Amino acid sequence: MLIEIRKMGKIIALANQKGGVGKTTTTINLGASLATLEKKVLIIDADPQANASSGLGVNTKDIDCSLYECIIDHADVHDAVYTTDIDGLDIIPSHIDLVGAEIEMLNIDHREQVIKNLLKPIVDDYDYLLIDCSPSLGLITVNALTAADSVIIPVQCEYFALEGISKLLNTIKIIKSKLNPRIEIEGFLLTMYDSRLRLANQIYDEVKRHFQELVFKTVIQRNVKLSESPSHGLPVILYDADSKGSQNHLSLAKEIINKNK
């Protein structure tokens, strides 16, 4: 008798302690694109600013259970999962209270593994679980990296792009040696790329030279629709499916699916 072995969901953290590099935009739109390609996706909003939650139309004032309640009050993770406007795309929203969670977690045993443990009951329900990390290397981000199978590092095509990446890579190295031996780099993703700017092309060449095959072939270009869509609580694929931003993220989703076959 053949027993079908279902692959567990892959947990991917999106991390870079530098703010404004496109982590949340990528999380929302990669999640929506993967769901459009008929994958079951869960986004975990691990940033107290809760932009991934509002960008997917979740009003954080109306929710009873967020990531914070799961971490601090041991709420059932199933109660924190909310559906979105896209079939197959769910979200565990964040809350401003998450700011204080890092201090409250200091007394918890195995505090680096809280998110990993709380995702265990639902990891098999999804193909991909994407964790949107806050722009810091604090305890919540350490939790995300400890839970993750891999990490996507968005890199903005601007002058200080590579600044801070060595610090993040060092953190990943420490986590790999002490907390999560299976974590790998899924890829470096170049965001906010404008091919008309010489600087953008120089950054692209530099990142490619440094990290070679770890750089995604897909580049996320600067795009007005991509910037506008979160204010409407929609991923760009619902806001304007023909836009560059939508096409870029679909291309990224296909690249990730092919890589993980």
Side-chain angles (χ1 to χ4, degrees):
M1 190 176 108
L2 278 174
I3 297 169
E4 187 190 345
I5 298 170
R6 192 192 180 289
K7 233 171 90 179
M8 274 171 60
K10 181 163 193 181
I11 303 174
I12 303 177
L14 286 93
N16 188 334
Q17 76 274 22
K18 195 173 182 304
V21 297
K23 278 188 298 292
T24 301
T25 302
T26 303
T27 307
I28 290 171
N29 292 297
L30 172 58
S33 298
L34 286 166
T36 303
L37 297 168
E38 300 185 339
K39 298 293 176 188
K40 198 134 177 33
V41 185
L42 176 69
I43 286 174
I44 299 104
D45 190 349
D47 184 348
Q49 293 176 72
N51 291 337
S53 306
S54 59
L56 283 169
V58 176
N59 184 344
T60 50
K61 292 188 182 75
D62 294 345
I63 56 172
D64 301 319
C65 189
S66 69
L67 184 63
Y68 174 82
E69 281 75 23
C70 294
I71 291 173
I72 302 301
D73 304 333
H74 310 293
D76 185 334
V77 68
H78 294 91
D79 295 338
V81 176
Y82 292 77
T83 56
T84 70
D85 289 340
I86 287 197
D87 264 359
L89 178 63
D90 295 342
I91 183 166
I92 294 178
S94 181
H95 194 277
I96 191 67
D97 288 350
L98 205 58
V99 168
E102 302 209 342
I103 293 162
E104 295 177 68
M105 287 166 80
L106 292 176
N107 300 321
I108 300 175
D109 289 337
H110 308 296
R111 56 179 179 262
E112 299 89 356
Q113 310 204 358
V114 175
I115 289 180
K116 176 186 174 180
N117 292 331
L118 75 84
L119 290 178
K120 274 180 185 167
I122 55 172
V123 71
D124 290 346
D125 300 342
Y126 296 93
D127 298 301
Y128 293 96
L129 298 89
L130 307 177
I131 309 179
D132 185 27
C133 297
S134 68
S136 77
L137 291 178
L139 188 51
I140 301 276
T141 299
V142 168
N143 259 268
L145 295 172
T146 303
D149 299 299
S150 67
V151 55
I152 290 174
I153 303 171
V155 180
Q156 189 180 358
C157 288
E158 295 214 339
Y159 186 63
F160 292 115
L162 294 176
E163 206 174 71
I165 284 185
S166 58
K167 198 172 176 188
L168 175 63
L169 293 178
N170 199 39
T171 302
I172 292 168
K173 203 167 138 187
I174 293 166
I175 284 169
K176 192 176 175 77
S177 68
K178 294 196 166 37
L179 293 165
N180 179 7
R182 71 180 194 288
I183 193 168
E184 300 293 344
I185 290 172
E186 188 77 26
F188 290 85
L189 176 69
L190 286 146
T191 63
M192 305 179 199
Y193 177 75
D194 185 340
S195 58
R196 296 166 304 178
L197 299 178
R198 200 173 71 191
L199 178 66
N201 291 301
Q202 284 171 346
I203 301 287
Y204 179 83
D205 292 341
E206 197 176 342
V207 173
K208 203 81 176 128
R209 194 173 67 247
H210 268 279
F211 303 112
Q212 295 161 4
E213 73 286 349
L214 282 176
V215 183
F216 285 110
K217 290 185 180 70
T218 304
V219 172
I220 308 297
Q221 292 163 283
R222 276 198 184 278
N223 179 246
V224 175
K225 301 291 183 191
L226 197 53
S227 309
E228 288 174 357
S229 60
S231 63
H232 297 268
L234 294 171
V236 72
I237 203 160
L238 287 186
Y239 183 63
D240 185 346
D242 297 324
S243 66
K244 268 274 194 289
S246 179
Q247 299 304 319
N248 289 167
H249 284 94
L250 266 175
S251 163
L252 176 65
K254 286 172 187 164
E255 200 174 331
I256 287 170
I257 290 168
N258 289 331
K259 195 176 170 185
N260 288 289
K261 271 182 178 164

